Amino acid sequence: MIIFGTKGYLYQLAMLTLVCGQCGNPSAHALRKRVTKFTLFFVPLFPVSTKYVTQCTFCGAERRLERDKAERLQAQGGGPAQGFQQGPGGIPQQQNPYQR
């Protein structure tokens, strides 16, 4: 008898301040990495798929990102000193990463 399957792992890479593409509010977004691994006898062996998403903490909307865009956002770190512009009402906000 052989027992095999998959198991999902969720890694939080960073917290970023972005303008949400769904609700339009500047809010914190969690940058997360979802990895699905093949398991044999409940031992994870190798990754089957990897996905990167951001989730808005205001409305809960999730957006899928490509790997290179997620790595750039993670390197940016979401710090207020990097890549921010002055928005309406004096609120510091970052450019929308969902626009191409």
Side-chain angles (χ1 to χ4, degrees), residues 7-13 31-37 47-55 60-64:
K7 183 174 181 181
Y9 296 89
L10 184 63
Y11 302 99
Q12 184 161 326
L13 303 175
L31 176 62
R32 297 183 176 142
K33 177 180 175 180
R34 291 183 181 160
V35 180
T36 304
K37 293 186 178 183
V48 177
S49 73
T50 302
K51 297 176 184 174
Y52 294 90
V53 295
T54 59
Q55 184 177 19
E62 283 192 0
R63 296 277 180 143
R64 190 166 175 200

Side-chain angles (χ1 to χ4, degrees), residues 15-33:
M15 286 298 286
L16 308 164
T17 303
L18 304 170
V19 176
C20 181
Q22 182 73 27
C23 65
N25 290 312
S27 61
H29 284 68
L31 176 62
R32 297 183 176 142
K33 177 180 175 180

Side-chain angles (χ1 to χ4, degrees), residues 27-82:
S27 61
H29 284 68
L31 176 62
R32 297 183 176 142
K33 177 180 175 180
R34 291 183 181 160
V35 180
T36 304
K37 293 186 178 183
F38 176 79
T39 60
L40 184 63
F41 295 104
F42 305 104
V43 177
L45 296 178
F46 56 88
V48 177
S49 73
T50 302
K51 297 176 184 174
Y52 294 90
V53 295
T54 59
Q55 184 177 19
C56 177
T57 57
F58 190 80
C59 68
E62 283 192 0
R63 296 277 180 143
R64 190 166 175 200
L65 298 174
E66 297 173 3
R67 179 181 174 188
D68 59 337
K69 190 169 276 199
E71 287 174 352
R72 278 187 274 143
L73 284 173
Q74 184 181 5
Q76 196 174 42
Q82 297 178 351

